[in-house]
mmCIF file of all heavy atoms in Angstrom:
data_model
loop_
_atom_site.group_PDB
_atom_site.id
_atom_site.type_symbol
_atom_site.label_atom_id
_atom_site.label_comp_id
_atom_site.label_asym_id
_atom_site.label_seq_id
_atom_site.Cartn_x
_atom_site.Cartn_y
_atom_site.Cartn_z
ATOM 1 N N PRO A 1426 -27.245 6.608 -3.535
ATOM 2 C CA PRO A 1426 -27.201 8.100 -3.346
ATOM 3 C C PRO A 1426 -27.600 8.838 -4.629
ATOM 4 O O PRO A 1426 -27.542 8.287 -5.693
ATOM 5 C CB PRO A 1426 -25.736 8.359 -2.918
ATOM 6 C CG PRO A 1426 -25.006 7.161 -3.503
ATOM 7 C CD PRO A 1426 -25.938 6.021 -3.434
ATOM 8 N N HIS A 1427 -27.922 10.094 -4.411
ATOM 9 C CA HIS A 1427 -28.252 10.962 -5.552
ATOM 10 C C HIS A 1427 -27.270 12.135 -5.590
ATOM 11 O O HIS A 1427 -26.966 12.780 -4.546
ATOM 12 C CB HIS A 1427 -29.668 11.550 -5.392
ATOM 13 C CG HIS A 1427 -30.066 12.557 -6.421
ATOM 14 N ND1 HIS A 1427 -30.499 12.202 -7.675
ATOM 15 C CD2 HIS A 1427 -30.050 13.911 -6.376
ATOM 16 C CE1 HIS A 1427 -30.764 13.288 -8.336
ATOM 17 N NE2 HIS A 1427 -30.503 14.351 -7.599
ATOM 18 N N LEU A 1428 -26.664 12.351 -6.775
ATOM 19 C CA LEU A 1428 -25.730 13.421 -6.975
ATOM 20 C C LEU A 1428 -26.215 14.363 -8.002
ATOM 21 O O LEU A 1428 -26.583 13.977 -9.093
ATOM 22 C CB LEU A 1428 -24.349 12.849 -7.358
ATOM 23 C CG LEU A 1428 -23.294 13.810 -7.864
ATOM 24 C CD1 LEU A 1428 -22.891 14.777 -6.765
ATOM 25 C CD2 LEU A 1428 -22.120 13.074 -8.423
ATOM 26 N N GLU A 1429 -26.202 15.689 -7.671
ATOM 27 C CA GLU A 1429 -26.444 16.771 -8.652
ATOM 28 C C GLU A 1429 -25.259 17.695 -8.589
ATOM 29 O O GLU A 1429 -25.216 18.614 -7.801
ATOM 30 C CB GLU A 1429 -27.770 17.492 -8.344
ATOM 31 C CG GLU A 1429 -28.987 16.751 -8.693
ATOM 32 C CD GLU A 1429 -30.213 17.635 -8.689
ATOM 33 O OE1 GLU A 1429 -30.178 18.734 -9.296
ATOM 34 O OE2 GLU A 1429 -31.280 17.218 -8.123
ATOM 35 N N PRO A 1430 -24.234 17.449 -9.450
ATOM 36 C CA PRO A 1430 -23.062 18.300 -9.433
ATOM 37 C C PRO A 1430 -23.438 19.795 -9.633
ATOM 38 O O PRO A 1430 -22.922 20.653 -8.993
ATOM 39 C CB PRO A 1430 -22.180 17.812 -10.567
ATOM 40 C CG PRO A 1430 -22.644 16.353 -10.735
ATOM 41 C CD PRO A 1430 -24.107 16.363 -10.420
ATOM 42 N N ILE A 1431 -24.305 19.995 -10.579
ATOM 43 C CA ILE A 1431 -24.813 21.329 -10.866
ATOM 44 C C ILE A 1431 -26.360 21.305 -10.529
ATOM 45 O O ILE A 1431 -27.085 20.651 -11.284
ATOM 46 C CB ILE A 1431 -24.597 21.785 -12.314
ATOM 47 C CG1 ILE A 1431 -23.074 21.683 -12.669
ATOM 48 C CG2 ILE A 1431 -25.074 23.211 -12.490
ATOM 49 C CD1 ILE A 1431 -22.206 22.508 -11.769
ATOM 50 N N LEU A 1432 -26.741 21.982 -9.532
ATOM 51 C CA LEU A 1432 -28.137 21.874 -9.073
ATOM 52 C C LEU A 1432 -29.056 22.527 -10.127
ATOM 53 O O LEU A 1432 -28.870 23.665 -10.598
ATOM 54 C CB LEU A 1432 -28.284 22.591 -7.712
ATOM 55 C CG LEU A 1432 -29.503 22.294 -6.951
ATOM 56 C CD1 LEU A 1432 -29.643 20.822 -6.610
ATOM 57 C CD2 LEU A 1432 -29.531 23.142 -5.668
ATOM 58 N N ASP A 1433 -30.086 21.756 -10.488
ATOM 59 C CA ASP A 1433 -31.049 22.222 -11.499
ATOM 60 C C ASP A 1433 -32.144 22.975 -10.821
ATOM 61 O O ASP A 1433 -32.966 22.443 -10.131
ATOM 62 C CB ASP A 1433 -31.578 20.998 -12.252
ATOM 63 C CG ASP A 1433 -32.545 21.434 -13.366
ATOM 64 O OD1 ASP A 1433 -32.594 22.625 -13.695
ATOM 65 O OD2 ASP A 1433 -33.250 20.542 -13.886
ATOM 66 N N THR A 1434 -32.144 24.317 -11.032
ATOM 67 C CA THR A 1434 -33.193 25.175 -10.486
ATOM 68 C C THR A 1434 -34.050 25.806 -11.577
ATOM 69 O O THR A 1434 -34.736 26.765 -11.332
ATOM 70 C CB THR A 1434 -32.560 26.297 -9.605
ATOM 71 O OG1 THR A 1434 -31.669 27.031 -10.461
ATOM 72 C CG2 THR A 1434 -31.800 25.685 -8.453
ATOM 73 N N ALA A 1435 -33.983 25.198 -12.767
ATOM 74 C CA ALA A 1435 -34.715 25.763 -13.894
ATOM 75 C C ALA A 1435 -36.221 25.599 -13.678
ATOM 76 O O ALA A 1435 -36.667 24.716 -12.914
ATOM 77 C CB ALA A 1435 -34.314 25.086 -15.165
ATOM 78 N N PRO A 1436 -37.074 26.441 -14.344
ATOM 79 C CA PRO A 1436 -38.499 26.256 -14.208
ATOM 80 C C PRO A 1436 -38.896 24.828 -14.608
ATOM 81 O O PRO A 1436 -38.443 24.286 -15.605
ATOM 82 C CB PRO A 1436 -39.018 27.321 -15.210
ATOM 83 C CG PRO A 1436 -37.935 28.360 -15.309
ATOM 84 C CD PRO A 1436 -36.663 27.590 -15.156
ATOM 85 N N GLY A 1437 -39.781 24.305 -13.772
ATOM 86 C CA GLY A 1437 -40.243 22.926 -14.026
ATOM 87 C C GLY A 1437 -39.483 21.876 -13.276
ATOM 88 O O GLY A 1437 -39.915 20.665 -13.278
ATOM 89 N N SER A 1438 -38.336 22.231 -12.689
ATOM 90 C CA SER A 1438 -37.545 21.253 -11.930
ATOM 91 C C SER A 1438 -38.285 20.970 -10.576
ATOM 92 O O SER A 1438 -39.182 21.779 -10.199
ATOM 93 C CB SER A 1438 -36.139 21.756 -11.668
ATOM 94 O OG SER A 1438 -36.183 22.928 -10.831
ATOM 95 N N TRP A 1439 -37.830 19.946 -9.841
ATOM 96 C CA TRP A 1439 -38.477 19.648 -8.619
ATOM 97 C C TRP A 1439 -38.276 20.760 -7.595
ATOM 98 O O TRP A 1439 -39.119 20.989 -6.709
ATOM 99 C CB TRP A 1439 -37.983 18.305 -8.051
ATOM 100 C CG TRP A 1439 -36.539 18.281 -7.561
ATOM 101 C CD1 TRP A 1439 -35.457 18.066 -8.305
ATOM 102 C CD2 TRP A 1439 -36.094 18.567 -6.260
ATOM 103 N NE1 TRP A 1439 -34.288 18.159 -7.505
ATOM 104 C CE2 TRP A 1439 -34.666 18.476 -6.261
ATOM 105 C CE3 TRP A 1439 -36.744 18.928 -5.021
ATOM 106 C CZ2 TRP A 1439 -33.912 18.689 -5.068
ATOM 107 C CZ3 TRP A 1439 -35.987 19.093 -3.872
ATOM 108 C CH2 TRP A 1439 -34.583 19.006 -3.930
ATOM 109 N N ILE A 1440 -37.136 21.431 -7.672
ATOM 110 C CA ILE A 1440 -36.869 22.554 -6.745
ATOM 111 C C ILE A 1440 -37.802 23.743 -7.067
ATOM 112 O O ILE A 1440 -38.258 24.441 -6.154
ATOM 113 C CB ILE A 1440 -35.412 22.981 -6.871
ATOM 114 C CG1 ILE A 1440 -34.488 21.911 -6.355
ATOM 115 C CG2 ILE A 1440 -35.182 24.344 -6.137
ATOM 116 C CD1 ILE A 1440 -33.053 22.169 -6.459
ATOM 117 N N ASP A 1441 -38.107 23.971 -8.326
ATOM 118 C CA ASP A 1441 -39.036 25.037 -8.687
ATOM 119 C C ASP A 1441 -40.371 24.838 -8.085
ATOM 120 O O ASP A 1441 -41.115 25.811 -7.888
ATOM 121 C CB ASP A 1441 -39.054 25.177 -10.215
ATOM 122 C CG ASP A 1441 -39.913 26.347 -10.677
ATOM 123 O OD1 ASP A 1441 -39.584 27.479 -10.258
ATOM 124 O OD2 ASP A 1441 -40.831 26.128 -11.420
ATOM 125 N N GLN A 1442 -40.735 23.578 -7.834
ATOM 126 C CA GLN A 1442 -42.062 23.263 -7.264
ATOM 127 C C GLN A 1442 -42.043 23.332 -5.736
ATOM 128 O O GLN A 1442 -43.070 23.067 -5.084
ATOM 129 C CB GLN A 1442 -42.476 21.859 -7.684
ATOM 130 C CG GLN A 1442 -42.560 21.688 -9.209
ATOM 131 C CD GLN A 1442 -42.822 20.268 -9.657
ATOM 132 O OE1 GLN A 1442 -43.399 19.488 -8.878
ATOM 133 N NE2 GLN A 1442 -42.410 19.958 -10.845
ATOM 134 N N ASP A 1443 -40.902 23.651 -5.132
ATOM 135 C CA ASP A 1443 -40.807 23.775 -3.672
ATOM 136 C C ASP A 1443 -40.346 25.179 -3.296
ATOM 137 O O ASP A 1443 -39.148 25.469 -3.231
ATOM 138 C CB ASP A 1443 -39.781 22.718 -3.182
ATOM 139 C CG ASP A 1443 -39.745 22.593 -1.662
ATOM 140 O OD1 ASP A 1443 -40.303 23.470 -0.969
ATOM 141 O OD2 ASP A 1443 -39.270 21.577 -1.187
ATOM 142 N N PRO A 1444 -41.290 26.111 -3.142
ATOM 143 C CA PRO A 1444 -40.940 27.529 -2.932
ATOM 144 C C PRO A 1444 -39.978 27.751 -1.742
ATOM 145 O O PRO A 1444 -39.055 28.600 -1.834
ATOM 146 C CB PRO A 1444 -42.284 28.202 -2.708
ATOM 147 C CG PRO A 1444 -43.258 27.295 -3.330
ATOM 148 C CD PRO A 1444 -42.746 25.931 -3.138
#
Side-chain angles (χ1 to χ4, degrees):
H1427 174 81
L1428 169 65
E1429 286 195 44
I1431 306 299
L1432 196 60
D1433 182 11
T1434 59
S1438 67
W1439 70 271
I1440 292 178
D1441 184 57
Q1442 301 173 24
D1443 190 343

